Amino acid sequence: MKNKILITYSVPKEGLTQLSSHFELIYPEKEFFTKEELIERIPDCLGLLSIFNREVDASIIKAGKNLKIISNYGVGFNNIDINAANNQGIVVCNTPDAVCEPTAELCMGLLLSLSRQIASCNNGLKTNSEFEWGVMKNLGSTLRGKTLGIIGMGKIGKSVAEKALVFGMNIAYHNRKPISEIRWKDAVYMNLSDLLEKSDAISLHCPLTPKTHHLLSEKEFLKMKKNSFLINTSRGAVVHEADLANALEEGTIAGAGLDVFENEPLIHPKLLQQKTALLVPHIGTATIETRIEMGREASENLILYLNNGIIKNRVN
């Protein structure tokens, strides 16, 4: 009899082929298992494949009497009660490789759309019969020669930097410590205050922790250039949403492209009213290829640990 893995959400089965050859998979018949259903099924399972937008709280973890590993389908892991997992000696892993490129692509897409007013022009043409054309109308700004300030120079931050360099941008970054790779010798390390003041666009790629919660709020927005853009494809609560809405309304900054929000799926009502806010519903990794690859990476975490004792992508 095979050991059991509990799959919390109906992710593409193509990504779980290898996992199903090693373990018995308990897979939801509907979109996802409810909390009560997880608690009922988890006692018999050695592994849990969780998903970034569904909470795995202490009560679920406590019910996992035989649970040895949680492999989170996503790079963020703030949906998991890490303290509860630590207390039970449970390994928690994520999928940082699969999510890198699609998130970086979306980041650049949001930046391009804001800087060249792509979304606003599209909306204007479709909804306003009197939308104005003209040589000096709908002027945006070019990216070449501008400075992109990256907060969190990990895998995704570096991928964004590589793409921005192709557009002729200069790279500044803020990290816990400067990175040492020779290939990034021309990227300028700055403290947060300097980065905010000198960048033409800010892109967030840091995890949500107590230190990064509301990392950017009114004080930080006031330091940014009036013609600057903010891009957030990391975690919503890194930004104080109400303060951002005020900054956009008052013209403190020129625009914001957001894939993530503080209280998803709810969005601050004032933010929804801002014409300079470009909003998408947490689609950073939303390609079918990525969803399948995330399943493969999450599966690999489970197989390596439960079969060979090898820990990959651990976050606790």
Side-chain angles (χ1 to χ4, degrees):
M1 181 180 292
K2 293 181 178 179
N3 288 317
K4 296 178 181 179
I5 303 292
L6 182 57
I7 313 296
T8 64
Y9 199 94
S10 57
V11 300
K13 290 184 178 179
E14 296 95 319
L16 307 180
T17 303
Q18 278 294 102
L19 190 65
S20 64
S21 69
H22 290 268
F23 303 98
E24 177 186 343
L25 305 188
I26 303 175
Y27 191 90
E29 293 182 4
K30 298 180 180 179
E31 186 177 8
F32 54 83
F33 284 124
T34 65
K35 178 179 177 179
E36 292 72 24
E37 289 170 336
L38 289 174
I39 289 174
E40 178 184 349
R41 289 164 173 77
I42 203 169
D44 296 330
C45 298
L46 294 186
L48 177 69
L49 195 155
S50 55
I51 194 163
F52 59 86
N53 66 345
R54 301 290 300 177
E55 185 179 18
V56 180
D57 65 13
S59 63
I60 295 171
I61 293 171
K62 186 176 180 181
K65 297 178 181 179
N66 295 299
L67 195 64
K68 298 186 181 303
I69 179 172
I70 300 171
S71 185
N72 207 43
Y73 186 94
V75 68
F77 49 89
N78 52 295
N79 59 306
I80 299 170
D81 189 324
I82 295 294
N83 288 331
N86 290 341
N87 289 339
Q88 286 185 217
I90 297 169
V91 171
V92 180
C93 303
N94 66 348
T95 58
D97 295 331
V99 304
C100 181
E101 288 305 306
T103 304
E105 288 175 357
L106 180 67
C107 173
M108 290 305 298
L110 291 170
L111 180 55
L112 280 167
S113 185
L114 282 172
S115 63
R116 295 304 304 273
Q117 300 200 56
I118 296 171
S120 59
C121 285
N122 175 67
N123 292 338
L125 288 169
K126 288 181 175 179
T127 62
N128 182 3
S129 61
E130 298 180 357
F131 186 77
E132 294 187 274
W133 298 49
V135 175
M136 297 306 293
K137 306 291 185 183
N138 308 307
L139 298 180
S141 57
T142 188
L143 297 182
R144 178 166 292 278
K146 302 294 173 54
T147 296
L148 176 63
I150 295 174
I151 300 177
M153 197 68 155
K155 289 184 178 180
I156 298 175
K158 290 174 183 175
S159 181
V160 169
E162 289 171 349
K163 291 168 176 55
L165 286 169
V166 174
F167 283 90
M169 299 190 79
N170 303 309
I171 305 300
Y173 71 97
H174 175 72
N175 223 27
R176 285 175 292 182
K177 59 182 181 179
I179 55 178
S180 58
E181 295 99 317
I182 296 297
R183 65 184 297 199
W184 294 109
K185 62 183 178 64
D186 294 327
V188 180
Y189 177 81
M190 295 183 182
N191 62 44
L192 182 60
S193 181
D194 286 345
L195 188 83
L196 295 170
E197 292 174 1
K198 296 177 181 179
S199 298
D200 299 291
I202 302 288
S203 189
L204 295 170
H205 301 287
C206 51
L208 178 60
T209 68
K211 288 186 177 180
T212 62
H213 183 265
H214 286 178
L215 181 70
L216 300 188
S217 56
E218 181 183 18
K219 180 179 69 173
E220 286 73 33
F221 297 134
L222 288 170
K223 291 181 180 180
M224 293 173 63
K225 295 180 179 181
K226 284 189 174 295
N227 62 347
S228 66
F229 300 116
L230 173 68
I231 309 295
N232 189 9
T233 56
S234 60
R235 285 294 176 265
V238 174
V239 175
H240 192 299
E241 210 161 285
D243 285 0
L244 174 58
N246 289 335
L248 293 172
E249 182 178 57
E250 296 165 7
T252 304
I253 63 174
L258 307 176
D259 182 43
V260 290
F261 306 90
E262 277 199 73
N263 300 295
E264 295 177 12
L266 301 177
I267 301 174
H268 195 284
K270 194 172 183 180
L271 190 59
L272 290 168
Q273 298 169 5
Q274 304 310 311
K275 292 182 179 180
T276 54
L278 176 58
L279 314 177
V280 293
H282 205 149
I283 60 170
T285 59
T287 74
I288 185 60
E289 297 93 342
T290 304
R291 291 289 182 250
I292 293 170
E293 188 57 34
M294 288 168 70
R296 290 178 181 143
E297 189 171 7
S299 295
E300 184 180 25
N301 292 338
L302 292 160
I303 294 167
L304 285 175
Y305 183 63
L306 293 175
N307 285 356
N308 306 106
I310 298 170
I311 301 175
K312 185 180 179 183
N313 301 323
R314 186 171 190 166
V315 297
N316 67 332

